[in-house]
Amino acid sequence: MSAAVTKIFVPRDSAALAVGADDVAAALQREAAQRGLAIELVRNGSRGLFWLEPLVEVATPAGRIAYGPVAPEDVPALLDAGLLAGGAHALRQGATDDIPYLARQERLTFARMGITDPLSLADYEAHQGWAGLRRALALDGAAIVQEVTQSGLRGRGGAAFPAGIKWRTVQQTAAEQKYIVCNADEGDSGTYSDRMTLEGDPFMLIEGMAIAALAVGATRGYIYIRSEYPHAIATMQEAIRRASAAGFLGASICGSGHAFELEVRKGAGSYVCGEETAMLESIEGKRGVVRAKPPLPAIEGLFGQPTVINNVITFATAPLILARGAQFYRDYGMGRSHGTLPFQLAGNIKHGGLVEKAFGLTLRELLIDFGGGSASGRPIKAVQVGGPLGAYIPASQWDVPLDYEAYAAMGAVLGHGGIVVHDDTADMAQLARYAMEFCAIESCGKCTPCRIGSTRGVEVIDRIKADQQREQQVVLLRDLCDTMLHGSLCAMGGMTPYPVLSALNHYPQDFGLAAVQEASAS
Amino acid sequence: MDDLIRELLAAHPAQDGALLPILHAVQERLGHVPPAAVPLIAEHLNLSRAEVHGVLSYYHFFRSTPPGRQVLQVCRAEACQSRGAEALLAHAEQRLSCASHSTRADGAVTLEPVYCLGLCALSPALQLNDRLHARMTPAKLDALLAKEGL
Ligand SMILES: Cc1cc2nc3c(=O)[nH]c(=O)nc-3n(C[C@H](O)[C@H](O)[C@H](O)COP(=O)(O)O)c2cc1C
Ligand code: SF4
Ligand code: FES
């Protein structure tokens, strides 16, 4: 009789790999073999508790037990301590599901994340996979659109436009060929939930895009993934291959007669290609320059045909909505922000990681209750929410509920849910300068306020910092921001003033101006 | 080299939107997209040379000249900045005697800033050749570079 095989999980998520997950996996294989221990190593996705990565889990009769962060050199001692039976060790975090950071979340879209082997169709099926697609196959297009509309799902890529309305437009526009395009460009600093999905639960995205295809009558789809994400590209390509071989994609989805072919397109290092019309240009093989709207992509999109273009998380939410029903999803959240958002804690934060919660919690809860304060142990000074085009939020605004409308009301955005924390050593004038510099580097060049204004912005901030006619230059900076806000074709030039003005308004002392109170707090 | 490019082109039918995949294929094989490839690609896709050149030069990822034997990319975006990315990049410049955005004269290394590797919860982050590294410090970077003979 051979000894029972113990399942051990070591993530294959890029962030886990970047802190040595492969070396830990190799050490486990090697040590277990030397000791004659029978293990089955599963390369799962990440749970998103990144400060614990590499997080090793072992399956025991009492459930999965977590250890982290594990270094390769910890492996012998862990095995000595009875790792395979969930033994006691300084790195032991207890039952994974009971780790407070995870237990307090409302994981709907990320329910499978870190639990399954991302490329195992059997695992996916065993964890509610394809249930949404199977339900969609029993409905007509209008009914699928209705379900998504009813759920209140709004685009998770930034602009928060209702997904159902977009899908309905494409569904009702007659055309020979329609397309589904997934925006996996995720260029925002502080965001990684798309990457986690592509690497950690790729079939969920495939299922969501197939549901969209059924809803609108599209037969071709593209996933545009940024070149900075090679692991995501490889995983997605393999997932498409496996899903096609199993009949979930191809000439006849699940034998239904509906065709849907899916292809990965690799970006090439351009932030503005995350803007949907620039992305369409890029897929068409052109420079990724923003198109003027109208026409809307829903009516004239890829190759001039009606196109649904949504973010990864938007598509990835569709399977759950179809499987559990619109009302189930709609009941989460507050106001007109329904459902959950995978918030992404990043930067100078002790417990950086992914927190999926219903809209309506506050930044303070995320920063303190989940994040545990700054990583440096110093007071948190400024928090940029919503990516590089998002505002810096001072402590006085940390109790505003995270809700699209509440944030808009204070001149901020939730964007893709990225949260970047800076401690009191941050120089906000420098960060404002960086925002302008980033816009200058990444501008597509189509309109003047963005193309030229960003370069002028860098110069003006340099003069403010050097105290050359400071007061006058501040007036000029505000004027310039106003021009960019109102005169830009897309949000690149149109929102760069958000980080710049919020830095100036809340942290004037960093620009050499008289300080306001309350700018810094712990 | 022309033959190699023709071989790559043969694998990519001249369908709509084939240009980026072709540029990626060429760069993957040769490490860059040499100027000599431009007329061949243009002819294959029935585009003007100017159009191909315009696309090639628009995207940060594509190179027209070969990179160094090793490539170090340091993230400069906000989440990494909040944990010392600027100092890390400055350290790399000094340690490698190589300015950012350039290839060292001996061709050993190219140093480039990047804007987010999606590792922002474990910042600062960088990529050395094909491997990602996070929770970086100047000392850890020195050890990495030493291991690669840099
Ligand atoms: C400069 C710029 C960059 C953008 N980058 C992204 C991105 O990386 N990912 C994304 O999903 N949306 C991005 N967007 C928003 C898209 O234009 C578009 O709103 C989104 O893909 C629509 O999908 P959704 O409705 O599911 O959010 C960007 C917009 C702008 C103006
Ligand atoms: S705002 Fe900037 S990125 Fe957007 S269209 Fe104008 S130039 Fe291009
Ligand atoms: S900001 Fe550096 S990895 Fe995202």
Side-chain angles (χ1 to χ4, degrees), chain A residues 18 50-51 53 189-190 195 226 265-269 282-288 303 346-348 421 434 442 444, chain B residues 16-17 19-20 24 54 58-62 76-79 81-83 115-116 118-122 132-135:
Chain A
F50 286 115
W51 80 98
E53 291 290 2
S189 166
R195 181 186 62 65
R226 62 201 299 256
R265 279 299 169 92
K266 182 174 170 180
S282 189
I283 298 173
E284 290 180 11
K286 302 177 200 147
R287 297 157 67 102
F303 302 115
N348 199 330
V421 180
Y434 173 82
E442 296 297 338
C444 86
Chain B
D16 287 343
L19 182 51
L20 259 71
H24 275 300
Y58 181 81
Y59 293 95
H60 303 302
F61 182 83
F62 295 128
R76 259 201 84 201
E78 289 89 341
Q81 282 186 46
S82 77
R83 300 287 281 147
Y115 295 88
C116 196
L119 310 176
C120 333
L122 296 173
L132 296 165
H133 302 273
R135 287 190 197 122

Side-chain angles (χ1 to χ4, degrees), chain A residues 131-498:
Chain A
L133 178 63
R134 293 211 167 95
R135 165 119 194 281
L137 283 164
L139 300 173
D140 68 3
I144 300 171
V145 168
Q146 179 66 7
E147 197 79 46
V148 171
T149 308
Q150 284 282 309
S151 75
L153 175 67
R154 292 161 73 178
R156 298 296 190 233
F161 187 80
I165 293 182
K166 198 182 272 185
W167 291 23
R168 182 186 302 145
T169 308
V170 178
Q171 198 231 343
Q172 293 179 348
T173 304
E176 282 285 299
Q177 177 70 59
K178 296 179 186 180
Y179 294 101
I180 307 294
V181 171
C182 175
N183 189 340
D185 201 49
E186 194 166 63
D188 289 359
S189 166
T191 62
Y192 45 79
S193 61
D194 294 352
R195 181 186 62 65
M196 284 180 70
T197 302
L198 300 165
E199 295 180 358
D201 202 357
F203 295 126
M204 172 170 62
L205 174 58
I206 292 173
E207 185 179 352
M209 292 182 73
I211 290 169
L214 291 174
V216 305
T219 55
R220 272 205 80 80
Y222 293 91
I223 307 174
Y224 187 93
I225 307 179
R226 62 201 299 256
S227 53
E228 292 87 343
Y229 285 179
H231 293 277
I233 292 172
T235 305
M236 212 58 234
Q237 280 169 335
E238 179 59 20
I240 290 172
R241 208 186 55 73
R242 293 187 189 192
S244 302
F248 293 104
L249 290 171
S252 174
I253 304 176
C254 299
S256 65
H258 292 276
F260 187 52
E261 309 274 351
L262 202 47
E263 186 184 322
V264 169
R265 279 299 169 92
K266 182 174 170 180
S270 161
Y271 178 77
V272 88
C273 281
E275 195 282 336
E276 56 187 12
T277 61
M279 176 168 294
L280 297 177
E281 292 284 306
S282 189
I283 298 173
E284 290 180 11
K286 302 177 200 147
R287 297 157 67 102
V289 173
V290 174
R291 295 179 186 169
K293 285 189 263 190
L296 292 173
I299 293 167
E300 268 181 54
L302 190 62
F303 302 115
Q305 302 302 311
T307 302
V308 171
I309 176 162
N310 277 126
N311 172 254
V312 173
I313 305 299
T314 315
F315 283 125
T317 305
L320 176 95
I321 291 169
L322 268 293
R324 306 288 296 266
Q327 198 60 41
F328 171 80
Y329 193 72
R330 192 182 180 83
D331 286 345
Y332 287 85
M334 70 172 277
R336 294 200 291 120
S337 302
H338 297 283
T340 58
L341 191 67
F343 296 99
Q344 301 137 80
L345 287 172
N348 199 330
I349 186 89
K350 195 164 163 202
H351 296 157
L354 181 125
V355 179
E356 182 175 356
K357 280 291 268 184
F359 291 91
L361 81 164
T362 66
L363 198 50
R364 190 181 302 279
E365 290 175 73
L366 279 175
L367 297 173
I368 308 302
D369 301 352
F370 284 93
S374 73
S376 60
R378 303 182 65 93
I380 295 175
K381 175 173 176 176
V383 185
Q384 190 174 29
V385 179
L389 309 176
Y392 284 99
I393 317 264
S396 60
Q397 296 179 332
W398 291 355
D399 296 306
V400 174
L402 290 152
D403 154 277
Y404 291 122
E405 277 68 38
Y407 261 59
M410 65 176 192
V413 288
L414 292 188
H416 189 41
I419 292 167
V420 176
V421 180
H422 294 269
D423 73 9
D424 64 349
T425 60
D427 174 350
M428 301 309 293
Q430 189 57 36
L431 284 166
R433 182 191 193 277
Y434 173 82
M436 284 291 190
E437 185 190 4
F438 184 69
C439 182
I441 295 170
E442 296 297 338
S443 169
C444 86
K446 184 149 176 164
C447 51
T448 317
C450 169
R451 186 181 69 239
I452 311 281
S454 50
T455 301
R456 291 292 96 85
V458 171
E459 296 162 2
V460 172
I461 295 172
D462 280 343
R463 285 197 290 272
I464 294 172
K465 285 161 59 97
D467 197 13
Q468 294 167 7
Q469 303 170 299
R470 180 172 284 150
E471 303 288 334
Q472 202 184 323
Q473 295 298 317
V474 169
V475 175
L476 197 59
L477 180 61
R478 288 187 183 280
D479 195 44
L480 177 65
C481 283
D482 199 55
T483 306
M484 289 175 73
L485 265 168
H486 296 107
S488 301
L489 184 59
C490 86
M492 180 84 218
M495 283 175 61
T496 292
Y498 281 47

